[in-house]
Amino acid sequence: MKVKALKRVLAAMTASLILSAGASITPYTSTAAKNIISNSTFESGTSGWGIYKESGGAATISTDSGRLAMNITKVGTVSHAAQLYYDIVPLYQNGVYRLSFEISCTENRYVEAMIQQNGGTYQAYTWKGLDISPTPLKVDYEFTMEEETDIMSKFCFNCGDQGTPLGEHTIYLDNVVLELVDDSKVDYEASGPYEPDIMTNQVGYTPNAKKTAVFRDVTGETSFSVINADTKSVVYTGELYGKTENLYAEETDWLGDFSEITEPGRYYITCGNLDDSYEFEISENVYSNLLDDSVKMLYLQRCGCEVIDAEFGHPSCHDSLATVYGTNQKIDVTGGWHDAGDYGRYVVPAAKTVADLLYAYERTPELYGDNLGIPESGNGVPDILDETRYELEWMLKMQAESGGVYHKVSCATFPGYIMPQAETKELIVTPVSTTATADFCASMALAYEFYYDIDKNFAETCLSAAEKAWSYLEANPNFIFVNPSDIVTGAYNDKRDTDERYWAAAQMYRATGNQTYLDYIDSTGAQTGLDWSTVGDYGNIALITMDGIDKSSSAYTKAVTAIKKQADGFATISKSNPYGVSLNTFNWGSNMTVANAGIILGLYYDITGDDSYNTAALANLHYLLGKNPNGVCYMTGYGTVSPQSPHHRPSMAVGKAMKGMLVGGVNSNLEDSAAKAYLADTPSAKCYVDNSESYSTNEITIYWNSPLTYLLSLTEEKETVKGDANADGKFGVADLVTLSKYILNSNDADTSIDWKAADLCKDNVLDSFDLVLMRRLVVSES
Ligand code: 9MR
Ligand code: 9MR
Ligand code: ZN
């Protein structure tokens, strides 16, 4: 029990550390007396070593007679303008290190050698100024790591401007050795993240939701208890079940079901010697703030206007004209939302965001109010529609004369960790792509429907922009984007545009009812995906939820079949995974993929009324909000432990995580230095690190928030009238007809039925037993 108290303190500490790179994570393997630098003699290339250039510096590296040769043509204007580096050097606090290397240069000059923090303040942990010359200089010394452990520091040589003008020259480096010679004072244990033993959704549950907790490291316990956090009384005791060897997280898991607790309140779970779970809430409105913040986040990402907020407010940004790539043409593309932790604005991910928001609103309009605290609040239009319109207005500016749509606008490179108004370099609009044009077409056609009653002129502008885009698509079969070589910001490049065109056609059909689009849909067949790169399922959503669509048409039935197939796959994985998540592999932005799976499951629930799909959809929500192997609520500012150091420039500049952002989450491909350093030996389902340098696990984006918004719109518990199979709000003979029909054609996805209301036997099957009960109910009520 003492251990428990201690671990708790650590959890609380972890939760309060802001932007502290080295504070909390794994590999505890001792590195004593091994050369930490893997390529030290350059016998076969320069692998592991790289060059950083800025402020006018120019340099290349190669090998020369078994040495590393750094050829410098321009020293630039600052000392790190030309920098030779070796990434990911673990330095443990109180460790004594010995560093040695040989260095020479074709000229006499001064360089700095150091091991420094890679990010943050770039503080040096050890530093030497060196006068180098053609005669090799042998450097060999010991130092102690005084600062907090930093397992991803950077060893580098600043070879830029040091005050003396220099022509082209070459620096040679060889026999680099870094060893941890004394680790007797290193406390390896001190740096592990706290991993809870019992995981639940940390935010909580609606009263009638299915509620299960995951238990790990169980030693002999067979039951668990739910405790009321205010009274400390045991309100429920249940048995552990479902022991599973979880290969993805490398742990053994048990489950405990506490769905019986429906009484609103705050609770936590205990189980023998395991650490108590974090507290969570049960209530009707448990997600309302979360839902509001998932949309409000977009306001805080607004570009091209003053943003008002006590902590993250800023003056207008990115409001200069932008240059169309490769021309002298300057255009106004101000507005829209910053995409992510960077300040680029990209059409392709914008379209996904817009679609998620509008379909979330369509699914459960009653959840969306007019008081989010955005400038348009109180104007009589739901804020989710006002906020979405802010992006749509920007998207309209991205359409070229031709009807084609520019892929994106950003500066040529990513800025430092600054507020948006401080990024003042030239804005560049990159060429038109057919993926952006089709996504734009779909978004505008969709917008036409939603804004028609609010502002007819705007709606018509959207529809004619969509029509212009469609004409461009007809004339330009396929023009896929690649980043021009001098632009390094988000590429959002795709291999095919079939799914984008399918989505566009489906939205155009919904907006106009025109047969041409239906013919186009039939020619491609249903496509899938709710990603930025695959968007076909938005086409399926458009068709399935379209008013008055012919349910026997091939467009409709193929869309339903595509959804069913995916929903069944996601439901199966969710059932087999102790955490209830519908994924077994985790890539960049996996939290979006998890939320997307929830959307597909929710849609299929809406089609069939089969509760098991809704349960699986919400299991994915519970994963995102804390019931996952890392025990993290991935939405900033919610739950007990949520990301403190997201890769998000405003949060990094302010020194505090902005609230209401869903981070990318687990990504086992280790695609940034922090992920490589912290997660090298981590099981795939746990590859996440709360470190601001980890953009491949801990960045945020507008299109990761938006599927969460959609998923949350599935949480509204609708009152069901007993026996109301046809969901018309009352019970009668008509429901008997619906149920008989359903049972007769039980494979027919078309027969829509409110499963929960019709399942009178409460056995999760709809069959003749329910029919018998329903007949009795009709008789007794008449
Ligand atoms: O900050 C950038 C982030 O928004 C991107 O998702 C990521 C991948 O493209 O790149 C980040 O920028 C990094 C760049 O790729 C490499 N140098 C360091 C930059 C900041 O971490
Ligand atoms: O979300 C994108 C992810 O699917 C890609 O694997 C990754 C690398 O191309 O890029 C992600 O998008 C980033 C974009 O390029 C720049 N802004 C931040 C985005 C999220 O990291
Ligand atoms: Zn901006």
Side-chain angles (χ1 to χ4, degrees), residues 27 45 60 105 220 263 314-315 317 321 339 359 399 407 442 462 486 491 526 584 601 645 667 731 765 772 781:
T60 54
C105 182
E263 184 68 24
H314 61 78
C317 54
L321 293 179
D339 179 57
Y359 281 120
Q399 186 169 36
H407 199 73
C462 292
D486 48 349
N584 284 328
L601 288 159
S645 308
N667 172 8
F731 174 68
V765 216
V772 169
E781 294 210 345

Side-chain angles (χ1 to χ4, degrees), residues 402-405 433-442 466-479 497 500-502 504-505 508 520:
S402 63
V405 176
S433 69
T434 49
T435 49
T437 306
D439 282 346
F440 171 95
C441 175
E467 277 163 345
K468 228 172 133 186
W470 182 264
S471 305
Y472 180 90
L473 291 171
E474 282 184 318
N476 295 275
N478 191 335
F479 177 43
D497 64 9
E500 283 82 3
R501 287 169 185 265
Y502 170 78
M508 289 302 276
Y520 186 88

Side-chain angles (χ1 to χ4, degrees), residues 340-342 414-415 417 488-490 588 647 649 692-693 695 699:
D342 66 317
F414 291 114
Y417 300 145
V488 307
T489 51
W588 195 321
H647 185 81
R649 282 175 172 75
S692 57
E693 294 298 327
Y695 48 78
E699 188 163 354

Side-chain angles (χ1 to χ4, degrees), residues 161-173:
D161 178 44
Q162 303 287 355
T164 330
L166 273 171
E168 178 174 353
H169 58 287
T170 303
I171 294 175
Y172 299 101
L173 181 70

Side-chain angles (χ1 to χ4, degrees), residues 503-526:
W503 178 27
Q507 281 319 150
M508 289 302 276
Y509 178 57
R510 234 176 93 130
T512 66
N514 189 325
Q515 179 69 30
T516 332
Y517 302 114
L518 195 56
D519 293 344
Y520 186 88
I521 291 165
D522 287 337
S523 76
T524 56

Side-chain angles (χ1 to χ4, degrees), residues 155-432:
F155 179 27
C156 58
F157 293 84
N158 282 350
C159 306
D161 178 44
Q162 303 287 355
T164 330
L166 273 171
E168 178 174 353
H169 58 287
T170 303
I171 294 175
Y172 299 101
L173 181 70
D174 205 0
N175 300 321
V176 190
V177 182
L178 175 68
E179 289 168 334
L180 175 52
V181 289
D182 178 1
D183 67 352
S184 59
K185 297 208 176 71
V186 172
D187 179 4
Y188 290 107
E189 294 296 321
S191 48
Y194 173 69
E195 290 189 347
D197 293 338
I198 306 176
M199 282 67 65
T200 70
N201 179 330
Q202 293 175 23
V203 176
Y205 303 84
T206 51
N208 297 314
K210 179 161 165 103
K211 310 172 193 76
T212 56
V214 176
F215 300 76
R216 62 182 166 198
D217 305 327
V218 173
T219 48
E221 295 85 357
T222 56
S223 66
F224 69 96
S225 298
V226 181
I227 316 289
N228 180 309
D230 298 323
T231 64
K232 304 277 180 271
S233 57
V234 176
V235 297
Y236 182 78
T237 298
E239 295 299 304
L240 298 184
Y241 71 96
K243 179 180 175 185
T244 308
E245 294 307 327
N246 183 338
L247 301 176
Y248 306 104
E250 294 177 13
E251 60 187 32
T252 308
D253 297 321
W254 280 258
L255 294 173
D257 191 320
F258 56 103
S259 305
E260 272 182 41
I261 317 284
T262 55
E263 184 68 24
R266 289 196 66 78
Y267 302 90
Y268 62 91
I269 294 176
T270 63
C271 176
N273 285 323
L274 302 190
D275 286 357
D276 298 347
S277 78
Y278 302 130
E279 277 182 34
F280 55 86
E281 185 181 322
I282 294 180
S283 84
E284 210 59 74
N285 300 322
V286 63
Y287 307 120
S288 26
N289 292 338
L290 188 71
L291 178 70
D292 285 354
D293 278 345
S294 74
V295 180
K296 175 83 186 274
M297 171 268 194
L298 298 165
Y299 169 68
L300 297 173
Q301 293 285 108
R302 278 195 196 183
C303 183
C305 71
E306 185 190 5
V307 171
I308 301 178
D309 183 74
E311 286 165 319
F312 293 95
H314 61 78
S316 184
C317 54
H318 302 105
D319 34 24
S320 59
L321 293 179
T323 309
V324 178
Y325 185 80
T327 73
N328 292 322
Q329 197 193 345
K330 303 263 184 205
I331 60 172
D332 170 20
V333 287
T334 52
W337 303 310
H338 300 133
D339 179 57
D342 66 317
Y343 298 131
R345 286 166 291 145
Y346 314 97
V347 170
V348 163
K352 167 173 172 58
T353 316
V354 162
D356 286 337
L357 294 171
L358 295 183
Y359 281 120
Y361 175 72
E362 180 171 79
R363 170 57 168 69
T364 321
E366 60 272 26
L367 284 179
Y368 298 93
D370 191 21
N371 58 356
L372 282 186
I374 64 173
E376 296 79 3
S377 292
N379 66 355
V381 174
D383 283 341
I384 188 170
L385 298 184
D386 287 324
E387 198 49 58
T388 307
R389 179 167 174 173
Y390 192 79
E391 185 76 342
L392 290 162
E393 301 268 13
W394 164 71
M395 289 171 82
L396 285 169
K397 296 183 186 175
M398 292 295 282
Q399 186 169 36
E401 274 304 306
S402 63
V405 176
Y406 296 119
H407 199 73
K408 63 174 189 172
V409 55
S410 71
C411 298
T413 54
F414 291 114
Y417 300 145
I418 53 177
M419 286 299 279
Q421 71 276 16
E423 189 186 44
T424 52
K425 288 195 179 140
E426 183 185 22
L427 290 170
I428 303 163
V429 168
T430 48
V432 166

Side-chain angles (χ1 to χ4, degrees), residues 726-759:
N726 64 5
D728 65 352
K730 51 186 193 294
F731 174 68
V733 180
D735 297 300
L736 204 55
V737 175
T738 304
L739 181 60
S740 332
K741 258 202 201 157
Y742 183 85
I743 294 170
L744 282 175
N745 320 305
S746 53
N747 295 325
D748 182 359
D750 263 16
T751 316
S752 68
I753 186 161
D754 187 328
W755 188 287
K756 206 174 181 174
D759 182 19

Side-chain angles (χ1 to χ4, degrees), residues 418-706:
I418 53 177
M419 286 299 279
Q421 71 276 16
E423 189 186 44
T424 52
K425 288 195 179 140
E426 183 185 22
L427 290 170
I428 303 163
V429 168
T430 48
V432 166
S433 69
T434 49
T435 49
T437 306
D439 282 346
F440 171 95
C441 175
S443 310
M444 291 302 157
L446 179 61
Y448 167 72
E449 288 177 43
F450 280 77
Y451 295 89
Y452 191 84
D453 291 334
I454 296 170
D455 181 345
K456 198 165 171 226
N457 283 337
F458 175 65
E460 271 160 4
T461 305
C462 292
L463 187 59
S464 55
E467 277 163 345
K468 228 172 133 186
W470 182 264
S471 305
Y472 180 90
L473 291 171
E474 282 184 318
N476 295 275
N478 191 335
F479 177 43
I480 299 291
F481 181 80
V482 280
N483 248 345
S485 62
D486 48 349
I487 295 195
V488 307
T489 51
Y492 294 111
N493 54 324
D494 202 342
K495 291 195 183 66
R496 55 196 279 277
D497 64 9
T498 320
D499 49 314
E500 283 82 3
R501 287 169 185 265
Y502 170 78
W503 178 27
Q507 281 319 150
M508 289 302 276
Y509 178 57
R510 234 176 93 130
T512 66
N514 189 325
Q515 179 69 30
T516 332
Y517 302 114
L518 195 56
D519 293 344
Y520 186 88
I521 291 165
D522 287 337
S523 76
T524 56
Q527 303 286 306
T528 57
L530 291 177
D531 200 337
W532 57 263
S533 63
T534 54
V535 295
D537 281 316
Y538 289 108
N540 297 329
I541 297 177
L543 296 171
I544 289 168
T545 60
M546 176 176 168
D547 282 341
I549 187 153
D550 172 4
K551 292 196 173 174
S552 63
S553 63
S554 101
Y556 181 84
T557 51
K558 282 186 178 153
V560 171
T561 306
I563 296 295
K564 175 178 171 28
K565 189 170 168 214
Q566 296 174 80
D568 285 340
F570 289 139
T572 304
I573 301 179
S574 171
K575 272 190 207 114
S576 72
N577 187 304
Y579 291 95
V581 65
S582 291
L583 301 188
N584 284 328
T585 53
F586 295 86
N587 299 318
W588 195 321
S590 65
N591 283 345
M592 170 199 69
T593 318
V594 171
N596 285 348
I599 293 176
I600 297 293
L601 288 159
L603 183 66
Y604 198 59
Y605 163 69
D606 287 345
I607 296 171
T608 60
D610 178 343
D611 250 347
S612 65
Y613 293 100
N614 199 38
T615 303
L618 297 184
N620 285 286
L621 176 69
H622 303 321
Y623 167 92
L624 294 175
L625 300 182
K627 191 183 156 199
N628 56 61
N630 289 303
V632 172
C633 171
Y634 288 117
M635 178 78 153
T636 57
Y638 282 88
T640 307
V641 175
S642 64
Q644 301 298 308
S645 308
H647 185 81
H648 176 241
R649 282 175 172 75
S651 297
M652 294 164 87
V654 169
K656 174 172 198 257
M658 191 171 96
K659 197 176 176 191
M661 308 184 295
L662 182 69
V663 299
V666 174
N667 172 8
S668 61
N669 304 317
L670 311 189
E671 294 175 88
D672 61 67
S673 302
K676 289 189 174 97
Y678 287 103
L679 306 172
D681 303 316
T682 304
S684 64
K686 289 167 104 174
C687 286
Y688 163 78
V689 55
D690 182 11
N691 183 297
S692 57
E693 294 298 327
S694 184
Y695 48 78
S696 72
T697 74
N698 209 31
E699 188 163 354
I700 63 89
T701 73
I702 54 172
Y703 58 94
W704 297 342
N705 259 54
S706 60

